[in-house]
Amino acid sequence: MTRPEPAEAASRRPTRQRSALLAVLSDTDGFRSAQELHALLRARGDGVGLATVYRTLQALTDQGQVDVVRNADGEATYRRCSTAHHHHLMCRSCGRTVELADSPVERWAARVADQHGFADVQHQLEVFGTCAACAAAREPQR
Amino acid sequence: MTRPEPAEAASRRPTRQRSALLAVLSDTDGFRSAQELHALLRARGDGVGLATVYRTLQALTDQGQVDVVRNADGEATYRRCSTAHHHHLMCRSCGRTVELADSPVERWAARVADQHGFADVQHQLEVFGTCAACAAAREPQR
DNA sequence: AACGTTCATGAGAATCATTCTCGCACAGTT
DNA sequence: AACTGTGCGAGAATGATTCTCATGAACGTT
Ligand SMILES: [Zn+2]
Ligand SMILES: [Zn+2]
Ligand SMILES: [Zn+2]
Ligand SMILES: [Zn+2]
């Protein structure tokens, strides 16, 4: 079996492709798909194989270094986020993202799950909207 | 404001395949993928083409008659739900689902979005856990 | 520095869910 | 029966993600 264990930590070899990917991730504020990141890397000069992009993204996700959110088309998009638990408020137009902590969902989810006899509770919450900049840019068209 | 209801899809021809699909959807409590529904229909006797399953599911979703949730594998899963806004508490083991209304998220999302200058706010929230039955069924194995 | 072991990489093939194509079937109408 | 509009479905096409496996890079040890 060559499959990494779930509880496995981050003892991976540092490579050019990994730092390149992390660099691109740090350069953008929003969530990007693996395909987009692959293209950005290529455009930047330090190309990285598509398979490696997916593989590395998977590893970073397991380590909690990046968050994953599926967009409307069902594609997985990634973003480097703080490691603490939080949710996102993102612009569906430009991708601008704000991390949100301390939501009332934390308590509520636990309580309601308990009321229904559910254990090992988890939740996923995302908030979408149009940021001020994008709203302003659209206004003139009226 | 967030419910642009053209109310045009109401005049669709009633067909055997559609009622069969609705029947299967009503028979299950959890979310099922298009592939699963297709298999269930076939097993039941009234088979329906895969393309039709997808097509009908899409139409029902547009009409708000079914909710869609992407599972961990990224597959779209469907469930016949109440038409009013709500969220779900579902068992990640057996799929049992409970509809949740009146969450504190409604207000919170609107407020926090406003604070950051975002408009046209929407949100998606799902709660996962292990239902009492599944937890009990797993206990004996210890 | 050279050597051998181990792990990461990447081109291309393979998966697999979802969508598209397009000829056929069927109900209702004249 | 002939005509028309719409839904159906087998199979092809699409596209993201994963897998295969030969090659190359990183590391610890001589
Ligand atoms: Zn924006
Ligand atoms: Zn939370
Ligand atoms: Zn259960
Ligand atoms: Zn809500």
Side-chain angles (χ1 to χ4, degrees):
Chain A
M1 297 292 277
T2 52
R3 185 175 290 273
E5 297 308 315
E8 183 262 14
S11 58
R12 301 204 149 217
R13 283 181 187 167
T15 67
R16 172 186 72 76
Q17 12 297 80
R18 170 172 313 176
S19 56
L21 180 56
L22 284 172
V24 173
L25 280 170
S26 296
D27 271 350
T28 181
D29 177 55
F31 280 79
R32 304 295 173 202
S33 71
Q35 303 282 349
E36 285 178 311
L37 293 168
H38 177 248
L40 286 173
L41 283 167
R42 175 165 293 180
R44 212 183 227 219
D46 17 45
V48 174
L50 187 56
T52 300
V53 172
Y54 275 104
R55 203 160 25 205
T56 305
L57 243 19
Q58 180 64 59
L60 292 173
T61 297
D62 291 344
Q63 294 176 223
Q65 290 199 47
V66 304
D67 279 3
V68 190
V69 170
R70 298 225 167 238
N71 64 22
D73 297 318
E75 297 176 296
T77 56
Y78 308 80
R79 178 176 187 272
R80 207 170 181 183
C81 288
S82 70
T83 55
H85 178 80
H86 63 273
H87 298 285
H88 308 101
L89 164 60
M90 56 187 111
C91 176
R92 65 171 74 83
S93 177
C94 70
R96 190 165 312 179
T97 300
V98 179
E99 292 190 24
L100 304 171
D102 309 313
S103 75
V105 185
E106 313 306 324
R107 283 178 170 286
W108 176 78
R111 177 163 55 77
V112 72
D114 187 61
Q115 292 177 343
H116 289 278
F118 279 61
D120 299 321
V121 190
Q122 287 186 323
H123 62 269
Q124 66 181 47
L125 165 64
E126 308 298 337
V127 183
F128 304 92
T130 303
C131 77
C134 287
R138 196 165 308 172
E139 199 68 39
Q141 296 180 8
R142 307 210 76 196
Chain B
M1 298 289 275
T2 52
R3 298 284 182 284
E5 189 66 60
E8 27 58 83
S11 61
R12 298 193 133 235
R13 272 186 198 169
T15 66
R16 174 186 69 77
Q17 11 300 81
R18 170 170 313 176
S19 57
L21 180 55
L22 284 172
V24 173
L25 279 170
S26 296
D27 270 351
T28 181
D29 177 55
F31 281 79
R32 304 294 175 204
S33 71
Q35 302 283 348
E36 285 179 311
L37 292 169
H38 177 248
L40 286 173
L41 284 167
R42 175 165 294 180
R44 220 185 219 217
D46 15 48
V48 174
L50 186 55
T52 299
V53 173
Y54 276 103
R55 202 158 28 204
T56 305
L57 243 19
Q58 180 62 60
L60 291 173
T61 297
D62 292 343
Q63 294 176 223
Q65 289 198 49
V66 303
D67 277 5
V68 189
V69 170
R70 299 226 166 236
N71 65 23
D73 297 319
E75 297 176 296
T77 58
Y78 308 79
R79 178 176 187 271
R80 209 170 179 184
C81 288
S82 70
T83 55
H85 178 81
H86 63 273
H87 298 286
H88 309 100
L89 165 59
M90 57 187 108
C91 176
R92 66 171 73 84
S93 178
C94 69
R96 189 165 314 177
T97 299
V98 179
E99 291 189 24
L100 305 171
D102 307 313
S103 74
V105 185
E106 314 306 327
R107 284 179 170 286
W108 175 78
R111 177 164 54 77
V112 72
D114 186 62
Q115 292 177 343
H116 289 278
F118 280 60
D120 299 322
V121 190
Q122 287 186 324
H123 62 269
Q124 64 181 48
L125 165 64
E126 308 298 338
V127 184
F128 304 92
T130 304
C131 77
C134 287
R138 197 166 307 172
E139 200 67 40
Q141 295 181 8
R142 307 209 78 198

